[in-house]
Each structure stands twice: as C-alpha cells, then as structure tokens.
Amino acid sequence: MPQRFNSSISVLSRSVLLLLKNPTFIFLCLAGATEATLIAGMSTFGPKFLESQFSLSASEAATLFGYLVVPAGGGGTFLGGFLVNKFKLRCSGIIKLCLLCTVSSLLAIFIFFIHCPNMPMAGVTQMYNGSTLPGSQLNLTAVCNAECGCLQETYSPVCGSDDVMYYSPCHAGCRKVSENLRNGKKVYRECSCIEKTLLHGPGEAEAGKCTSPCAKRTLLLFFMFVVILFTFLSSIPALTATLRCVSDRQKSFALGIQWIVVRTLGGIPGPIAFGSMIDKSCLLWQDQCGEQGSCYVYQNSAMSRYTLVTGLVYKV
C-alpha cells in the first residue's frame, strides 16, 4: 500500500511538472484567471453600478443587469463554440480568436470614461437650499427638519416635487402620508424642506429615488453588453485550446489544475478587488450603532473611474 501511494505521488508530480513546462497551458490558465476576476467582480457589483448610475432601485438594477448578462453571456458562449467548429480552428487559430476577443472587450471597456451625473440629494450632494456643501461635508440636518428628530439609521429615500432626493421622509420634513393609486407608492405631503414649484408652501415627495434623465444610458448599456459578450465569447475557445495543447492522458488533469488556478486567482479575489475600489467612491455610508455599514450613495464619476481602472488592470 505505501509503495502504491508513493507511485501515485510520483506520477502526480511528473504530471504537474509537464504542465508547468507547457507555456501555452500556463498562459491560458493566467488568462482564464483574469477573465474570471472580471466576471466575478462585475456579476457582483454590476447591478450596484447600474443602480447608482441610473438611480434605480436594487430590484430594477438587478433585473436590468440580468437582461444584459443572459443574452450576452449565453450568446457569447454559443458563438465562441460555433466559430471554432465553423472554421475548424487549430490551437494557434483559437488563441488568436481569444486574443481578438480580449482586445475587443478591452476597447469597449473604455466606455466607463463616461458616466451619468448624480441626482441631487439634500445634505449629501448639495445643501438643502441648493447650494454646494462646504468642504464636501455631509449635513442631513437643516432648519426645516431640525425639530423632527430624524434618525440617520433609517434610510428610506424619497423624491421631492423639486426633483431633489431626501434621505427619508423625516429628513424632508414631511408630516402626512397617503398612497398613489396609480403606482402604489407612498406619497408624503406637507414637507417643510420641499417648496412647491408653482405655489408657495410645503411640497410633497414620493417614496423611492428620483428618476435619472441620463442621456448616456443607452450608450452605457450597449457597450456593457459588448464587454460581456466578448468576455464570454472567448470562454469555449480557451477551453478547447487547453484540451488541444496537452496530451490526451493529461486532459482531465489539466482541466482540474486550470479550474483551481481560475477559481483561486480569479473567482475569489475578483469581488474583493472590485468592492474595495468601488467603495472608494462612496459618499454616504450606513451608520450601524457607530459602525460603518454598506454604502448608500456613490459618486458616479468616481465609481466609473475606479471601475475602468480595475478593468484595465486585469485586462492588460
């Protein structure tokens, strides 16, 4: 039994050594790890990016991101396998196809140079009177809500009739609540921090975030679709190249080693890297009994910039 065990260890070590001496296999593993980093990072924080850029609710952002990922990811995977089979590509041709996909997605990722402007939020992006925050210091308390005793732990954004968002109905100085029969959302009335646009007196607010009028929405979504499409398009060709660059006896073992590398170097650190970079753009943090929680509001320009930098680092 010990002799058989030693023999198995010897065979395993020789197999690993042969794979380490195969530069094509090594580079395919590293390329797969970088792509896995981007996929894991974007799948985790992609909905958060859309939520911030387009001022959507979490459910709306997740649904929209799903509409992007399912056709782009599925279509890219299918198209990659189809191209390899259609043109009967050899290993060198497959690697060139993977390189073309990587360059295409790299060029498309520069779309993150543009961004949608933040919707104005009282006490966060501007003062309650519309002026600029002094020293970019958050100040959720104003004369209009000073006597309301609002708690910062209760984050429930509302959109005022003045197209400004407020941290909560309390922070907007609202006194009455009713329900909008058209969309079922709560409508808060007699809000002392909101002025009516036509008549003098307190305005009203509706539960939820203000809708972003961003004109770049279609452009951003299109190029995000392109990035996802070309990222997944290279997955099947890369897998085929891996199987063709090793001997028949090592194919199963090579796939196992490759997936270990991809998961360890790509799938695990991806969300961590993206999360740490995106958190640098946070404007408003959740306060949990004095402890910093999740981020409520991001600076859209900084968020796009950090996403671009992270994507370029792993793509290049």
Side-chain angles (χ1 to χ4, degrees):
M1 187 69 177
Q3 185 177 0
R4 183 180 300 177
F5 178 76
N6 292 334
S7 176
S8 300
I9 293 296
S10 177
V11 172
L12 179 64
S13 60
R14 285 200 300 269
S15 298
V16 172
L17 186 61
L18 285 174
L19 292 177
L20 291 176
K21 291 181 178 180
N22 189 334
T24 304
F25 174 76
I26 295 297
F27 282 113
L28 283 172
C29 287
L30 294 177
T34 57
E35 294 297 317
T37 302
L38 294 173
I39 292 173
M42 285 303 296
S43 61
T44 304
F45 292 98
K48 179 66 70 175
F49 179 85
L50 297 181
E51 179 184 349
S52 178
Q53 294 292 324
F54 305 144
S55 190
L56 303 173
S57 66
S59 59
E60 290 172 337
T63 302
L64 180 59
F65 191 70
Y67 288 152
L68 283 177
V69 171
V70 172
T77 303
F78 172 80
L79 184 60
F82 174 78
L83 292 176
V84 172
N85 183 64
K86 175 69 175 179
F87 296 103
K88 302 294 188 291
L89 297 177
R90 296 180 179 273
C91 189
S92 59
I94 293 174
I95 293 176
K96 290 177 182 178
L97 174 61
C98 293
L99 181 61
L100 176 63
C101 294
T102 301
V103 172
S104 300
S105 59
L106 176 63
L107 294 176
I109 208 172
F110 280 98
I111 190 62
F112 290 112
F113 263 128
I114 68 173
H115 64 276
C116 294
N118 279 84
M119 291 299 295
M121 187 171 186
V124 179
T125 62
Q126 65 178 37
M127 295 286 286
Y128 274 79
N129 58 10
S131 60
T132 306
L133 283 170
S136 299
Q137 295 294 324
L138 302 182
N139 186 11
L140 297 174
T141 304
V143 176
C144 57
N145 62 18
E147 298 180 358
C148 298
C150 303
L151 299 176
Q152 192 168 340
E153 288 81 3
T154 306
Y155 178 68
S156 179
V158 294
C159 181
S161 54
D162 55 356
D163 290 328
V164 175
M165 286 199 303
Y166 295 85
Y167 191 88
S168 70
C170 179
H171 287 85
C174 302
R175 294 180 174 84
K176 294 183 179 180
V177 60
S178 61
E179 187 171 327
N180 191 328
L181 298 179
R182 290 181 300 174
N183 54 22
K185 290 185 177 181
K186 291 183 178 180
V187 177
Y188 300 90
R189 306 186 188 281
E190 296 186 15
C191 304
S192 57
C193 295
I194 307 173
E195 291 188 5
K196 288 185 177 180
T197 53
L198 298 178
L199 302 175
H200 291 291
E204 60 183 35
E206 187 175 79
K209 300 178 181 179
C210 295
T211 303
S212 174
C214 181
K216 304 169 185 175
R217 176 170 179 163
T218 303
L219 188 64
L220 267 171
L221 291 176
F222 173 76
F223 278 96
M224 285 184 68
F225 181 90
V226 172
V227 171
I228 298 171
L229 175 69
F230 279 103
T231 299
F232 278 90
L233 196 150
S234 63
S235 59
I236 297 301
L239 178 63
T240 306
T242 301
L243 294 174
R244 293 186 181 181
C245 73
V246 297
S247 62
D248 291 339
R249 297 178 61 183
Q250 282 195 304
K251 286 183 178 180
S252 298
F253 183 69
L255 285 180
I257 294 296
Q258 186 179 61
W259 276 105
I260 291 175
V261 173
V262 168
R263 297 298 185 188
T264 304
L265 300 182
I268 296 175
I272 299 174
F274 271 83
S276 61
M277 290 296 288
I278 289 177
D279 280 348
K280 294 180 182 294
S281 62
C282 185
L283 289 176
L284 179 63
W285 289 97
Q286 180 186 20
D287 185 9
Q288 294 180 325
C289 300
E291 297 290 332
Q292 180 177 290
S294 58
C295 182
Y296 285 144
V297 181
Y298 292 92
Q299 178 67 43
N300 286 350
S301 58
M303 191 183 201
S304 293
R305 184 169 62 251
Y306 287 129
T307 302
L308 174 63
V309 170
T310 308
L312 288 177
V313 167
Y314 282 100
K315 276 290 185 183
V316 176

